[in-house]
Amino acid sequence: MRHRSSDPTDLNTSSTDGRTDNAGAAEDAREAATERSDEIDLAADALVRLEEQLRTTTADLDSLIARYQTDLVRAAATERARVATAWLPIVDSLEQALRHAEDDATTFDAIRVVLQKAVAALADLGFPRFDPYGQDFDPLLHEAVGTVRNVADHGTVVNVTRPGYGTSEDLLRPAGVVVAKR
């Protein structure tokens, strides 16, 4: 606590502890600066923690987005395969109807057009039709339903009983084939 003289020109006013006002003001300023410095240090530390928290949260969000995109791609592929699988019996039935309608040209043409559209729909879903006749047997793409002797080179597909759908990376159904053997 300071005691001021009533004389405004008196620069040597003293405080109750014996300090002059100038010395006391300087010490008060140092204390205030130290307190401000401490506050600034605390604020800087808080800022560093918040920046680290922001980086961590941003990384977590980026990771979540990447997982979500992967899950979305996987879900779309699963749904695409489900729809394509539902189409297969329809395509098979149309092929069978086509074989039975060979005597009636109008019916044959109508069924053929519908079959072509159904096969195109499967291709649009990412499962194109393939017919491996004359190719080497590939157990990843073909299902051997029989063998025959001395018809062609060993391991060659000599008859396709059911066409396959898909690609080597994404197979919906293997082709049913008869394979030549020695």
Side-chain angles (χ1 to χ4, degrees), residues 139-160:
L140 298 176
L141 296 174
H142 311 143
E143 179 182 351
V145 296
T147 58
V148 292
R149 290 189 177 274
N150 300 326
V151 177
D153 291 338
H154 180 75
T156 301
V157 174
V158 293
N159 189 18
V160 178

Side-chain angles (χ1 to χ4, degrees), residues 49-63:
R49 283 191 310 274
L50 288 172
E51 286 174 338
E52 179 58 32
Q53 188 178 18
L54 177 62
R55 278 191 293 277
T56 302
T57 302
T58 301
D60 289 347
L61 183 58
D62 289 344
S63 178

Side-chain angles (χ1 to χ4, degrees), residues 80 84 122-131 135 138-142 163-175:
R80 184 174 48 85
L122 285 173
D124 289 345
L125 288 170
F127 302 103
R129 179 183 180 137
F130 65 91
D131 183 343
Q135 298 175 5
D138 181 347
L140 298 176
L141 296 174
H142 311 143
Y165 290 91
T167 63
S168 59
E169 295 83 29
D170 197 9
L171 186 64
L172 182 63
R173 179 176 79 184

